[in-house]
């Protein structure tokens, strides 16, 4: 009889003691994929770059999706546009339509217009593809514009991202030109009217206008060269530049690392979020199909650019009520607001500045100003540091006010493009409406700047008071000396961090015009201009709470409530015996407003 004792469980388990876990061999598919990847890496040495990109960390915030919407819309535009090129005929040659759309059957038209009708009525799914392409283009411009708003108002354009901001402004300009070229291709009555207007704008260029228009159209308007040239620009030249700029934009985002909103644990030296694989890739992939699905649903439910309702282009009629798309409307509005006396003759030439300024100068000027802004702000503020944490718009009131003034000015131009439609619908004088827009252009943007800045300063003062005194609880307590105080609920570390994390600012001080030897400083005039602009930016600055001010508020509060009776009696809510000192953050204090680094509150 055996006297051995066995552990709990089956006796045979002892035979497994000391066994090592065996890793299963990779499947045949995995081995093939690994072999192909190894073969490619041996010849391209791309594994390091791919590994770097896959391990890239991206923060999570809803506003970052605005740029993704623009990116996905661009991809949808490229895919749908590639399909449309299969059937579209970029030719202004004349033909007789014999397609499915009966009202236009037998009419003479260009081959471009006839092929667009065929895509819409004779190609299965062709109209849906056209609609997807058009709606995706509009979504791309909207997403790009709103993404630039987010970048501007949060200060994401600051060093080292100035070049990426310039790339974004160039992409926005090219996107507007690409949109104009795209809706001009069908050669319907509406798009033909737009091309005719463009030809008139080009002719207003001083001295060279008529020669330039003749070169673009290959002869007198309309000619037969403009449709093939617009097609080449629309499907080849501009998309290639856009894709190249987009790739450069994404590469610079990876090089500079992604910006993030301030919060505990987030600094200029790290990024808090998820790596590309597997979380961010899955999220981004799902979001792409959401954007694709929404654009497809809009395209299936809402008609846009019904070219069959306009008919083929004929230079003889004048189309009433035609309006450009919203991204070009502002420049049409500028034409309507400019006074007629800007047209004059000089040296035998007619200078039509009442048209040239709005049509030829304003469009590039807007994007030049946008592209130059980061460098101007950097020079004015003297801030040459790298920034990876975003600003809250309220913490830079002047920048936010300038942005709102620009949006209001652009909106006035855009609505002015419909002054004739407004006059018809409201039964008003078009001249009165035009003068309202003219006056509003000089009154409303400064008013928007002032109101926005005052709102931001008020929000800053509220944040400062909240950081010092916390939230009002509505509960009144009495001290031992008979005084009354309101109990304030203490903020969490996260909430207080958001209120105090930004750096204090102050206007630059003007240096003396002469040095100690009585010699004039060579840059004195430039320094005076810089000091005035700095004063404009920061004269009303509300700086964050300093550690000394916060300590004073805590000290005074605890002193006021040190003799307070515990909250253990009926009718008063509290945190327990002896915890009454937490309510002292609401005591008033006369602590001075020192200037110090609020970042010390992170400790």
């Amino acid at each position: 009889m055996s006297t051995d004792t066995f552990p709990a469980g089956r006796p045979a388990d002892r035979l497994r003691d000391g066994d090592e876990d065996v890793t299963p061999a990779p499947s045949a598919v995995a081995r093939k994929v690994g072999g192909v990847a190894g073969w490619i890496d041996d010849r391209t040495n791309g594994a390091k770059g791919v590994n770097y990109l896959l391990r890239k960390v991206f923060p999570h915030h809803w506003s970052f999706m605005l740029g993704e919407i623009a990116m996905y819309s661009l991809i949808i535009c490229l895919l749908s546009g590639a399909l449309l090129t299969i059937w579209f005929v970029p030719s202004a040659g004349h033909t007789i339509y014999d397609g499915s759309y009966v009202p236009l059957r037998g009419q003479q038209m260009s081959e471009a217009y006839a092929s667009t009708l065929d895509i819409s009525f004779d190609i299965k799914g062709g109209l849906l593809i056209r609609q997807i392409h058009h709606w995706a283009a509009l979504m791309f411009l909207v997403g790009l514009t709103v993404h630039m708003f987010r970048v501007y108002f949060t200060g994401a354009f600051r060093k080292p991202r100035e070049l990426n901001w310039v790339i974004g402004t160039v992409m926005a300009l090219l996107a507007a030109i690409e949109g104009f070229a795209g809706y001009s291709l069908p050669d319907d009555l509406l798009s033909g009217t737009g091309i005719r207007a463009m030809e008139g704008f080009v002719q207003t260029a001083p001295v060279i206008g008529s020669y330039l228009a003749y070169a673009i159209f290959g002869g007198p308007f309309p000619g037969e060269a403009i449709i093939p040239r617009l097609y080449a620009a629309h499907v080849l030249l501009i998309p290639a530049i856009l894709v190249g700029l987009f790739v450069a934009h994404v590469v610079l985002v990876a090089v500079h690392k992604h910006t993030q909103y301030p919060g505990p644990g987030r600094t200029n030296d790290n990024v808090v979020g998820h790596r590309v694989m597997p979380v961010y890739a899955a999220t981004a992939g799902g979001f792409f199909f959401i954007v694709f699905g929404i654009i497809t649903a809009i395209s299936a439910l809402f008609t846009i650019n019904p070219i069959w309702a306009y008919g083929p282009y004929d230079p003889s009629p004048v189309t009433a009520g035609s309006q450009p798309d919203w991204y070009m409307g502002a420049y049409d509005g500028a034409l309507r607001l400019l006074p007629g006396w800007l047209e004059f003759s000089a040296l035998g030439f007619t200078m039509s500045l009442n048209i040239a300024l709005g049509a030829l100068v304003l469009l590039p000027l807007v994007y030049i100003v946008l592209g130059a802004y980061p460098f101007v702000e950097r020079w004015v503020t003297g801030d040459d540091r790298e920034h990876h944490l975003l600003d809250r718009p309220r913490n830079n009131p002047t920048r936010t006010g300038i942005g709102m003034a620009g949006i209001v000015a652009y909106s006035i131009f855009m609505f002015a493009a419909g002054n004739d439609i407004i006059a018809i619908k409201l039964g008003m004088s078009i001249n009165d409406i035009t003068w309202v827009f003219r006056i509003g252009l000089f009154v409303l943007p400064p008013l928007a700047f002032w109101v926005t800045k005052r709102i931001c300063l008020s929000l800053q003062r509220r944040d400062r008071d909240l950081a010092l005194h916390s939230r009002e609880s509505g509960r009144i307590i009495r001290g031992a000396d008979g005084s009354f105080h309101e109990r304030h609920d203490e903020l969490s570390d996260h909430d207080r961090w958001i209120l105090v994390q930004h750096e204090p600012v102050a206007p630059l001080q003007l240096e003396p015009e002469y040095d100690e030897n009585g010699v004039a400083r060579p840059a004195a005039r430039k320094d005076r201009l810089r000091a005035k602009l700095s004063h404009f930016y920061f004269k009303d600055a509300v700086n964050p709470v300093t550690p000394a001010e916060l300590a004073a508020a805590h000290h005074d509060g605890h002193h006021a409530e040190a003799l307070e009776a515990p909250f253990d009696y009926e009718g008063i809510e509290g945190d327990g015996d002896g915890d009454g000192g937490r309510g002292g953050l609401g005591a008033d204090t006369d602590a001075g407003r020192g200037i110090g680094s609020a970042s010390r509150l992170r400790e």
Side-chain angles (χ1 to χ4, degrees):
M1 182 177 179
S2 173
T3 60
D4 292 343
T5 59
F6 295 96
R10 295 185 304 152
D13 289 343
R14 296 182 60 189
L15 300 177
R16 299 289 184 181
D17 292 345
D19 287 357
E20 298 181 357
D21 294 336
V22 179
T23 303
S27 63
V29 175
R31 289 196 300 271
K32 290 181 180 179
V33 172
V36 173
W39 185 88
I40 295 175
D41 183 53
D42 290 340
R43 288 153 180 80
T44 63
N45 197 26
K48 293 182 179 179
V50 173
N51 181 65
Y52 170 79
L53 292 177
L54 295 182
R55 293 175 59 84
K56 190 72 177 174
V57 176
F58 283 86
H60 271 263
H61 193 272
W62 66 266
S63 65
F64 297 138
M65 293 183 177
L66 300 173
E68 295 180 15
I69 291 174
M71 176 177 67
Y72 299 150
S73 300
L74 176 61
I75 294 173
I76 296 170
C77 271
L78 294 175
L79 294 176
S80 57
L83 292 175
L84 292 176
T85 57
I86 299 175
W87 301 289
F88 181 72
V89 179
S91 171
H94 296 285
T95 185
I96 303 297
Y97 179 69
D98 191 25
S100 300
Y101 189 65
V102 177
L104 291 178
R105 188 177 296 172
Q107 290 197 25
Q108 189 177 19
M109 59 186 64
S110 67
E111 292 181 301
Y113 185 65
S115 65
T116 308
L117 290 176
D118 291 337
I119 293 173
S120 302
F121 295 106
D122 296 315
I123 304 299
K124 291 184 178 180
L127 180 58
L128 180 61
I129 296 174
R130 274 194 62 235
Q131 301 253 126
I132 290 175
H133 187 70
H134 202 132
W135 278 113
L138 292 179
M139 192 68 72
F140 170 61
L141 282 157
V142 171
L144 185 60
T145 302
V146 181
H147 172 67
M148 292 185 69
F149 286 167
R150 197 274 300 174
V151 172
Y152 174 83
F153 286 112
T154 59
F157 55 80
R158 294 172 296 176
K159 183 181 178 181
R161 296 175 180 84
E162 301 98 332
L163 180 59
N164 230 2
W165 171 261
V166 173
I167 290 176
T169 57
V170 175
M171 288 182 65
L173 174 61
L174 291 177
I177 298 174
E178 174 78 343
F180 171 78
Y183 73 64
S184 298
L185 286 177
D187 198 32
D188 59 288
L189 187 58
L190 181 61
S191 66
T193 302
I195 295 178
R196 178 59 168 168
M198 183 267 287
E199 190 257 354
F201 299 157
V202 172
Q203 285 191 345
T204 63
V207 182
I208 64 171
S210 58
Y211 305 101
L212 189 60
Y214 192 91
I216 292 175
F217 287 86
F221 179 86
E224 295 187 357
I226 188 62
I227 297 297
R229 291 178 179 180
L230 286 176
Y231 181 77
H234 182 70
V235 305
L236 181 61
L237 178 61
I238 301 179
I241 299 175
L242 280 174
V243 171
L245 292 175
F246 168 74
V247 172
H249 183 81
V250 173
V251 169
L252 287 177
V253 169
V255 170
H256 296 150
K257 75 184 180 183
H258 208 291
T259 55
Q260 58 185 340
Y261 286 92
R266 300 176 182 179
T267 68
N268 281 317
D269 301 321
N270 69 351
V271 177
V272 178
H274 296 288
R275 298 189 185 277
V276 172
M277 289 295 292
V279 177
Y280 182 79
T283 304
F287 189 53
F288 168 76
F289 288 106
I290 290 175
V291 174
F292 204 159
I294 291 176
I295 291 177
T296 302
I298 294 174
S299 304
L301 297 175
F302 302 98
T303 301
I304 190 170
N305 196 24
I307 61 165
W308 54 88
Y310 306 139
Y313 177 63
D314 184 355
S316 58
V318 177
T319 305
S322 59
Q323 301 289 319
D325 281 340
W326 66 270
Y327 51 88
M328 285 293 189
Y331 311 105
D332 188 9
L335 299 179
R336 305 185 185 208
L337 296 185
L338 286 169
W341 51 263
L342 287 175
E343 178 174 316
F344 57 91
S345 298
L347 302 177
F349 295 96
T350 300
M351 304 294 180
S352 300
L353 299 183
N354 57 331
I355 300 177
L357 290 179
L360 303 180
V361 176
L362 184 61
L363 177 63
L365 181 62
V366 168
Y367 294 96
I368 290 174
V369 171
L370 284 176
Y373 180 82
F375 305 98
V376 174
E377 181 177 297
R378 179 181 173 184
W379 176 71
V380 171
T381 61
D383 187 0
D384 198 32
R385 300 168 299 168
E386 288 194 2
H387 293 274
H388 303 290
L389 287 177
L390 299 174
D391 281 341
R392 300 174 77 198
R394 68 181 64 179
N395 290 335
N396 199 314
T398 302
R399 179 202 297 153
T400 305
I402 292 174
M404 288 304 302
I407 292 175
V408 170
Y410 190 91
S411 300
I412 292 173
F413 280 130
M414 185 179 68
F415 286 110
N419 61 351
D420 54 340
I421 304 298
I422 297 174
I424 293 172
K425 296 299 182 182
L426 299 182
M428 299 175 62
S429 168
I430 190 173
N431 292 327
D432 294 342
I433 294 174
T434 301
W435 272 106
V436 168
F437 282 123
R438 284 175 177 173
I439 296 172
L441 185 62
F442 291 95
V443 174
L444 295 182
L447 180 62
F449 169 82
W450 182 81
V451 171
T452 302
K453 186 173 182 179
R454 303 317 302 178
I455 292 175
C456 290
L457 292 173
S458 298
L459 291 173
Q460 281 187 297
R461 294 189 182 96
R462 176 182 175 275
D463 289 347
R464 181 180 177 83
D465 183 73
L466 187 60
L468 284 173
H469 307 306
S470 299
R471 294 188 178 91
E472 298 178 355
S473 66
R475 298 192 295 269
I476 305 300
I477 58 177
R478 186 177 69 179
D481 58 352
S483 61
F484 290 89
H485 301 276
E486 181 181 13
R487 178 181 175 85
H488 285 214
D489 295 330
E490 189 172 359
L491 297 176
S492 65
D493 292 338
H494 180 275
D495 293 338
R496 184 178 291 111
W497 174 284
I498 300 300
L499 301 178
V500 302
Q501 51 78 32
H502 55 290
E503 296 292 334
V505 295
L508 295 176
Q509 299 298 321
L510 183 63
E511 296 182 357
E513 296 186 20
Y514 299 92
D515 59 17
E516 61 276 7
N517 299 320
V519 179
R521 298 181 183 273
R525 182 176 299 177
K526 183 178 68 174
D527 291 340
R528 287 197 300 271
L529 175 61
R530 184 181 180 188
K532 289 180 180 179
L533 292 175
S534 178
H535 186 74
F536 169 73
Y537 263 78
F538 300 127
K539 65 178 180 179
D540 299 321
V542 179
N543 285 314
V545 175
T546 65
E549 290 172 325
L550 188 61
H554 275 262
H555 173 76
D556 290 349
H558 286 293
H559 178 73
E561 299 183 12
L563 303 179
E564 171 196 330
F567 289 129
D568 57 357
Y569 49 89
E570 184 179 358
I572 298 293
E573 297 180 0
D575 298 301
D577 294 347
D579 195 35
R582 293 183 58 191
L585 295 180
D588 294 334
T589 176
D590 295 328
R593 291 180 55 191
I595 297 179
S597 177
S599 61
R600 292 179 56 191
L601 297 179
R602 303 170 187 171
E603 300 176 357

